């Protein structure tokens, strides 16, 4: 009698649990998420008379508190939907070479951090900035790679479409910076952020969870801020170019290897090879 043997890379699909979420409802959730960051940031920063990230106090009132509220909102939504498993775990594996994506991102982070400038700022400033940027990572990855990816998958999109649309939504959301002082540069930022979203999506899939991409996202922002004029109020740190160069390097690698990201289907999955038992 013939017995089908599932290929090793194929995990049985997890049971669909929790509430169903429409695209419109997801859009409302994303808008609420943005409103929490923008409005609470303006109100709290104005109340504290802080509008920059040059001091520990400035980081706390303009970043840490508003972003902390957004993280609470994001995972409150996950809990309300009953989506902890699909948000925090990813059961769609990719080929192992894709580990090059988080590896290059980590290398860029280590090169991009301006260690000497941070030392001058003091340990409390560094800790506050590190926590604030982790709030960015866990909030945005929870919202867009967690909830967003789950919404798209549950609407039956193919995985290539999930990757595309979750990354594009992530980029479009950053167009909101055009209304808060970003101007025309927000368009370029949205394009770059969409690309970054794809890198974090692949990090989620190759690691099998939403944790590594969240931590990496936060550290990437920490690295960029540590070398920027916004943080240092002086000339930009040359190491800042390391995280920026990671984008074209990864884009080229993924373009060349784009056909080898997904695991190859096994003969059994194609209706071919089976194992037989007498």
């Amino acid at each position: 009698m013939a017995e089908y043997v599932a290929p090793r890379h194929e995990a049985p699909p997890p049971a669909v649990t929790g509430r169903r979420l429409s695209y419109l409802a997801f859009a409302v959730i994303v808008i609420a998420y943005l409103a929490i960051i923008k409005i609470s940031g303006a109100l709290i920063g104005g109340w504290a008379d802080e509008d920059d990230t040059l001091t520990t106090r400035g980081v706390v009132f303009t970043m840490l508190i508003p972003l902390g509220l957004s993280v609470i909102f994001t995972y409150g939504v996950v809990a309300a939907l009953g989506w902890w498993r699909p948000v925090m775990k990813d059961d769609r594996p990719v080929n192992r070479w894709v580990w090059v994506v988080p590896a290059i991102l980590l290398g860029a982070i280590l090169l991009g951090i301006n260690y000497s400038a941070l030392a001058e700022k003091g340990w409390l400033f560094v800790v506050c900035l590190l926590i604030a940027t982790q709030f960015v990572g866990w909030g945005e990855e929870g919202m867009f790679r967690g909830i967003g990816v789950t919404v798209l998958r549950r609407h039956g999109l193919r995985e290539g479409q999930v990757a595309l649309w979750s990354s594009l939504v992530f980029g479009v959301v950053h167009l909101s910076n055009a209304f808060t002082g970003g101007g025309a540069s927000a368009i370029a930022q949205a394009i770059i952020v969409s690309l970054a979203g794809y890198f974090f999506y692949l990090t989620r899939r190759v690691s099998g969870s939403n944790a590594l991409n969240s931590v990496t996202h936060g550290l990437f922002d920490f690295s960029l801020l540590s070398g920027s004029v916004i943080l240092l109020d002086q000339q930009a740190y040359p190491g800042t170019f390391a995280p920026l160069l990671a984008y074209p390097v990864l884009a080229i690698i993924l373009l060349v290897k784009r056909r080898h990201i997904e695991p190859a289907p096994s003969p059994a999955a194609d209706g071919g090879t089976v194992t037989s038992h007498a």
Side-chain angles (χ1 to χ4, degrees):
M1 181 176 66
E3 177 184 340
Y4 172 72
V5 177
R8 289 184 180 181
H9 70 265
E10 285 187 6
V16 176
T17 59
R19 300 175 183 273
R20 181 174 176 81
L21 194 66
S22 68
Y23 288 138
L24 178 59
F26 176 57
V28 171
I29 289 170
V30 170
I31 291 170
Y33 170 82
L34 284 176
I36 289 171
I37 296 175
K38 301 293 185 181
I39 297 174
S40 68
L43 292 176
I44 295 171
W47 172 78
D49 196 25
E50 293 286 349
D51 61 359
D52 58 46
T53 58
L54 298 175
T55 64
T56 302
R57 191 172 187 274
V59 170
V60 169
F61 287 106
T62 65
M63 291 184 66
L64 200 152
I65 296 176
L67 292 169
L69 293 173
S70 73
V71 170
I72 293 172
F73 172 77
T74 297
Y75 292 96
V77 170
V78 174
L81 291 171
W83 282 11
W84 283 111
R85 193 185 192 287
V87 165
M88 296 307 300
K89 298 291 184 181
D90 199 296
D91 299 289
R92 313 293 176 92
V94 290
N95 286 318
R96 292 185 63 83
W97 73 264
V98 179
W99 275 106
V100 74
V101 174
I104 288 177
L105 291 175
L106 179 59
I109 288 166
L110 294 175
L111 290 173
I113 295 174
N114 190 340
Y115 301 96
S116 61
L118 288 174
E120 293 177 4
K121 288 288 186 179
W123 69 269
L124 184 58
F125 178 91
V126 174
V127 170
C128 289
L129 184 64
L130 187 59
I131 295 173
T133 50
Q134 280 300 303
F135 282 169
V136 174
W138 284 90
E140 292 191 346
E141 293 305 303
M143 181 60 63
F144 299 102
R145 250 67 60 192
I147 298 173
V149 164
T150 302
V151 167
L152 295 169
R153 284 175 175 171
R154 293 196 172 190
H155 278 80
L157 272 66
R158 299 189 304 274
E159 203 58 33
Q161 295 173 315
V162 171
L164 173 64
W165 287 108
S166 64
S167 300
L168 287 178
V169 168
F170 183 51
V172 168
V173 163
H174 283 75
L175 286 175
S176 62
N177 292 332
F179 303 102
T180 55
S185 64
I187 298 175
Q189 183 191 21
I191 295 172
I192 294 172
V193 166
S194 294
L195 191 59
Y198 182 55
F199 301 153
F200 294 132
Y201 160 84
L202 290 177
T203 299
R204 169 188 163 95
R205 286 190 61 187
V206 77
S207 65
S209 82
N210 210 54
L212 181 60
N213 50 305
S214 298
V215 172
T216 303
H217 187 153
L219 290 175
F220 201 84
D221 283 12
F222 177 81
S223 175
L224 288 172
L225 281 175
S226 77
S228 71
V229 294
I230 295 175
L231 172 63
L232 301 177
D233 198 23
Q234 54 183 270
Q235 289 187 344
Y237 172 59
T240 302
F241 290 105
L244 298 178
L245 287 174
Y247 288 97
V249 170
L250 284 173
I252 292 171
I253 291 173
L254 293 172
L255 183 63
V256 172
K257 300 276 288 182
R258 66 188 184 279
R259 299 186 187 280
H260 305 283
I261 294 174
E262 302 288 342
S266 70
D270 289 337
T273 303
V274 295
T275 58
S276 298
H277 300 278

